[in-house]
């Protein structure tokens, strides 16, 4: 629980917070700048509450910087997922090419077990890769690499 005194001290030193946000590459006209500033002030106040060391400003600066970078990554991932969803709905409206379906049917027979799992569960079944990690018995990064290779393999088969 942050005391009022520490919150006021953090608010009065919000230039440190703004500097950390700026160091993360966020300009003041960014749409979520106010939210990031508020989060930074709360982080700084929490750090003031936890310790009374001399280097608290340096530590708070780094913590706010990393928090801001994490938030920016989350926002980027959300927008990429939304873009993927939009692309998939556009693909769903395309006409069905029966020759491609026959080629895909033949290619699926040649796939390894992990590739089949990704093809049916992730690409067709819309399950997230992270949900398939336990079922596949490997890391998310490995599944992402296999997915990339699978998509390349299917694309080459369809282009023949």
């Amino acid at each position: 629980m942050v005391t009022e005194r520490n919150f006021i001290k953090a608010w009065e030193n919000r230039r440190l917070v703004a500097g950390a946000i700026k160091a993360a590459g966020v300009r003041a006209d960014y749409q979520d700048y106010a939210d990031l500033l508020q989060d930074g002030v709360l982080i700084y106040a929490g750090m003031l509450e936890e310790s009374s060391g001399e280097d608290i400003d340096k530590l708070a600066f780094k913590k706010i910087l990393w928090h801001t970078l994490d938030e920016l990554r989350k926002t980027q991932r959300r927008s990429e997922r939304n873009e993927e969803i939009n692309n998939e709905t556009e693909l769903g409206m395309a006409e069905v090419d029966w020759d491609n379906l026959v080629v895909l049917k033949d290619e699926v027979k040649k796939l390894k077990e992990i590739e089949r799992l990704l093809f049916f569960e992730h690409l067709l079944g819309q399950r997230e890769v992270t949900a398939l990690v336990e079922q596949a018995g490997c890391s998310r990064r490995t599944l992402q690499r296999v997915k990339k290779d699978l998509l390349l393999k299917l694309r080459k088969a369809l282009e023949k």
Side-chain angles (χ1 to χ4, degrees):
M1 187 72 171
V2 178
T3 62
E4 183 178 347
R5 182 179 58 89
N6 285 331
F7 182 76
I8 291 171
K9 185 176 178 183
W11 181 253
E12 289 172 351
N13 200 5
R14 64 185 174 271
R15 290 189 68 202
L16 178 133
V17 175
I21 294 171
K22 184 178 180 181
V26 178
R27 296 187 334 206
D29 61 348
Y30 178 64
Q31 63 186 4
D32 293 332
Y33 183 82
D35 293 335
L36 293 172
L37 184 69
Q38 186 178 22
D39 288 347
V41 168
L42 290 173
I43 290 169
Y44 187 40
M47 289 188 71
L48 287 172
E49 191 71 32
E50 292 172 6
S51 68
S52 60
E54 293 295 320
D55 290 338
I56 191 70
D57 289 347
K58 289 180 183 179
L59 293 173
F61 184 89
K62 288 179 183 179
K63 189 168 185 176
I64 294 165
L65 173 67
W66 287 109
H67 173 77
T68 303
L69 291 173
D70 287 343
E71 290 299 316
L72 292 172
R73 283 189 203 106
K74 287 179 192 175
T75 303
Q76 183 179 7
R77 277 195 307 264
R78 267 188 238 115
S79 70
E80 287 173 357
R81 283 189 197 128
N82 290 340
E83 186 177 319
E84 286 177 9
I85 290 171
N86 291 339
N87 290 342
E88 288 175 6
T89 55
E90 291 173 9
L91 291 175
M93 293 180 211
E95 276 188 43
V96 176
D97 185 359
W98 295 104
D99 293 334
N100 285 345
L101 290 177
V102 171
V103 170
L104 280 177
K105 182 180 176 186
D106 293 338
E107 282 297 315
V108 167
K109 293 176 185 175
K110 301 175 190 175
L111 296 178
K112 299 174 189 169
E113 187 65 33
I114 194 167
E115 292 174 330
R116 281 187 185 168
L117 176 72
L118 280 169
F119 182 75
F120 288 111
E121 296 292 328
H122 176 64
L123 296 175
L124 297 179
Q126 303 286 319
R127 286 185 60 196
E128 290 187 17
V129 172
T130 53
L132 298 173
V133 167
E134 196 171 312
Q135 190 175 353
C138 59
S139 69
R140 185 186 65 77
R141 180 174 278 174
T142 302
L143 285 178
Q144 291 289 1
R145 184 182 44 77
V146 170
K147 175 186 168 184
K148 180 182 173 187
D149 294 343
L150 172 64
L151 290 173
L152 287 172
K153 184 188 298 185
L154 294 175
R155 182 176 291 135
K156 286 180 183 177
L158 290 173
E159 290 173 354
K160 287 181 182 178

